[in-house]
Amino acid sequence: LAAYAHQDVPFERLVEELNPVRSAARHPLFQVMLVLQNNAVATPRLSGLDLVGQEVLSLDVAKFDLTFDVTEAYDATGRPAGIRGSAQYAVDLFDRGSTEGLVGRLVRLLEEAVADPDVLIGDLDVLAVDERRSLLGEWSTTAGTSPYEVCVHDLFEERAAVSPGSTALVFGDVRLSYGELERDANRLARYLVARGVRRGDTVGVLLERDPRLVVAVLAVLKAGAAYTLLDPGFPVERLRDVVDRAGLSVVVTAGVLGDGLEPAGLVRLDADAEVAGIARCADSALGRIAGPEDAACVMFTSGSTGVPKGVVAPHRAVTGTLVGQEFVSFGPDEVWLQCAPVSWDAFALELFGALLHGGVCVLQPGGKPEPEVIAELIARHHVTSAYLSASLLNFLLDEYPGCFTGVRQIIGGGEAASPAHAAKALAEYPGLRLVNGYGPVEAMIFVSTHRITAQDTARPAIPIGRPIGNERMYALDERLRPVPVGVVGDLYLTGAGLAHGYLGQAALTAERFVAHPHGAPGERVYRTGDLVRWRADGVLEYVGRADGQVKIRGFRVEPGEVQAVLMRHGAVRQAAVVVREDRPGDKRLAAYLVAEPGTALDPDDARAHAAAHLPEHLRPGSFTVLDALP
């Protein structure tokens, strides 16, 4: 009502005061207008003439993106006779169906308000019954086709028993069969149990990417424990922090990799005494120790408070994501490339996507993906299936023409897919199955996928698709109610892939893993912090983040964690870490620092401090010392 006090302000004065950014494409102040015609209709009277209003010209041109024009009607006695209205829309932004949907929701809102005038506006429901059913039912969930309440190593043991002579792992010229891998893992599992590993423990694995790494992972699972993969490329300070936070009493390692991790008990796979002790253990399976709800792995990711978060994923999170699914082909004729960093949840996709289905897993040497090596391995070992972060996929398409010859399916993820590169991939490899996957580490690899078509590449962004089997996704408003089609909401998810929570961080777990507002008692959903919207065809589009988290080269990065580490430098008084994108698609962290009074801060010293405490993907690319933060 206070706006009426300014109703006589000239429009030109308003524009002058606000000084908005001008554009020939849109109105500078607003793009949506509601016009209510509720004044008495004045009819001129002329002597000797009957006057009838007649519309003789309609331009059918939308002045704004969207205009609602409503008029109050009265009968001959002056009593109210309802409201009639129309909607005009710009056809390059809206189609008739979406506009009719908006009109329907407005009418439904008005009807509810009239039916109960005392209800709060926020409690009025704009969703029709069938739309609510779609948003909370058929769109939000996809039924699985196979039971997944089983342990990861149990499925592997079944495969090893069916085809013990089939190749399981390829590393350079080394080939390890399912039977050999099963026996080696059983021996190490028995050795770990003899060293005190028990059900429910967490065991660290600090090894280079080679067959011993896979043996160790399977052995830890067979012993009833959960593995956490320690990346040899991380600074020793970071590794010590993870060992401490995970409460690791045993770390499987080799060579000098484990030096500096005391007091963790180290099982060195290349030490003579350990090798002899492992060899003396029986090569038969230990039997069932763990269950599907027991933790299978703990994956550490960036934390906004400066502390890395350890996500505890149970066995059913892995098997529920990789068993009975149709988003890609799993089977004994698939050759998977394992090149993702071992600390990613994609490691489980590339490894167990092969080993749980009788396929072959090709291990890339080195700790991080190397484009030249990847191209060589695909050609040499006839790789058919690969997971690649969007930026790595784009680089391989641009710099290594023909490298995907013979590849049948590629799953992209970790960051937004490039429509231009997707179009290029589909054009150059006509039979390729190209899939865009979405899923945070708290929900194990993927929650939704979308098979990319040529039609998708003509749109501004590639959608993240529909939930895979055994998963559920919801776009909700701030009151945890489903948002209508086309409206941006917060993404919540649940299902087989849902993690137990964060290791040793009960408060953070309670904050992010909340009670399911539309589920059974005791059921939980994970609040992702991602913003999404439903398309009219039941496909989800990713819009952005509700917080400061970013994705850089597929890694999840919390600038707050980097900032907290930099603040621990003795000469730094203030720090700000932001994401710069000086070239399109090339995101990098930039650090801005203010020195403590009376000290001289060398950017190179700050860079060395970051290198000593942060893994490579969390280190800023530039360090700038300022007199004060703006």
Side-chain angles (χ1 to χ4, degrees), residues 390-470:
S391 54
L392 178 57
L393 173 61
N394 299 345
F395 185 82
L396 287 167
L397 286 168
D398 290 339
E399 303 297 330
Y400 294 88
C403 75
F404 295 125
T405 301
V407 177
R408 295 197 288 258
Q409 51 191 16
I410 295 177
I411 313 171
E415 48 196 328
S418 164
H421 286 88
K424 183 176 183 180
L426 294 176
E428 294 182 0
Y429 307 96
L432 180 66
R433 186 181 197 176
L434 187 61
V435 177
N436 187 33
Y438 165 84
V441 66
E442 288 85 353
M444 202 65 193
I445 311 171
F446 292 134
V447 182
S448 69
T449 59
H450 179 78
R451 182 166 183 176
I452 303 174
T453 65
Q455 290 77 16
D456 292 320
T457 62
R459 300 174 67 95
I462 304 295
I464 60 174
R466 303 173 186 269
I468 65 173
N470 309 316

Side-chain angles (χ1 to χ4, degrees), residues 54-392:
Q54 179 67 48
E55 184 176 336
V56 296
L57 179 64
S58 177
L59 296 178
D60 287 332
V61 173
K63 297 178 181 179
F64 306 100
D65 294 356
L66 191 63
T67 302
F68 291 97
D69 196 334
V70 295
T71 304
E72 293 180 356
Y74 299 88
D75 61 18
T77 65
R79 295 175 60 83
I83 296 175
R84 66 178 185 271
S86 64
Q88 293 180 341
Y89 58 93
V91 295
D92 56 342
L93 297 175
F94 295 89
D95 57 31
R96 185 178 183 89
S98 60
T99 308
E100 288 178 344
L102 288 172
V103 172
R105 293 182 195 126
L106 177 59
V107 171
R108 195 153 41 248
L109 189 80
L110 296 175
E111 289 174 342
E112 286 206 10
V114 171
D116 187 359
D118 294 327
V119 71
L120 295 175
I121 291 177
D123 291 337
L124 297 175
D125 194 356
V126 300
L127 294 178
V129 174
D130 56 345
E131 188 176 17
R132 176 179 295 277
R133 187 182 302 114
S134 296
L135 294 172
L136 293 179
E138 57 193 79
W139 287 5
S140 64
T141 185
T142 302
T145 59
S146 178
Y148 56 85
E149 295 289 344
V150 62
C151 288
V152 175
H153 55 280
D154 290 339
L155 290 180
F156 172 76
E157 289 174 2
E158 292 176 8
R159 283 292 170 182
V162 170
S163 52
S166 299
T167 300
L169 296 178
V170 174
F171 181 74
D173 295 327
V174 176
R175 288 179 173 267
L176 206 63
S177 71
Y178 274 83
E180 292 170 327
L181 182 56
E182 165 74 356
R183 290 189 290 273
D184 289 349
N186 287 336
R187 289 191 182 98
L188 180 55
R190 291 182 178 278
Y191 186 77
L192 293 175
V193 170
R195 288 285 299 265
V197 174
R198 295 293 180 264
R199 178 179 182 177
D201 290 348
T202 302
V203 175
V205 178
L206 178 57
L207 293 166
E208 299 289 353
R209 196 195 324 258
D210 62 28
R212 292 181 303 181
L213 174 71
V214 181
V215 169
V217 165
L218 286 170
V220 171
L221 296 176
K222 286 169 174 285
Y227 67 83
T228 186
L229 292 173
L230 306 173
D231 194 322
F234 284 8
V236 66
E237 289 293 333
R238 178 79 168 199
L239 296 178
R240 285 175 183 164
D241 190 29
V242 171
V243 168
D244 180 59
R245 295 187 183 283
L248 304 184
S249 58
V250 174
V251 175
V252 181
T253 185
V256 298
L257 292 178
D259 291 353
L261 293 189
E262 316 298 8
L266 301 180
V267 176
R268 298 185 186 270
L269 297 185
D270 53 357
D272 291 340
E274 308 262 24
V275 171
I278 296 170
R280 286 193 295 269
C281 293
D283 62 5
S284 58
L286 283 75
R288 182 158 298 179
I289 298 178
E293 285 297 327
D294 283 301
C297 59
V298 178
M299 298 165 288
F300 281 84
T301 185
S302 183
S304 58
T305 61
V307 176
K309 299 178 293 191
V311 180
V312 182
H315 283 263
R316 54 109 173 118
V318 181
T319 55
T321 303
L322 300 179
V323 175
Q325 301 290 357
E326 298 178 351
F327 58 88
V328 291
S329 174
F330 295 102
D333 58 341
E334 299 295 339
V335 180
W336 285 82
L337 175 66
Q338 202 288 291
C339 63
V342 296
S343 57
W344 282 19
D345 54 350
F347 168 84
L349 166 68
E350 297 168 332
L351 178 64
F352 295 120
L355 298 187
L356 300 188
H357 300 276
V360 178
C361 182
V362 178
L363 302 175
Q364 181 220 282
K368 59 184 179 180
E370 297 291 349
E372 185 175 355
V373 178
I374 289 173
E376 188 271 331
L377 290 176
I378 290 175
R380 179 182 175 187
H381 298 293
H382 307 290
V383 169
T384 64
S385 304
Y387 168 86
L388 302 168
S389 66
S391 54
L392 178 57

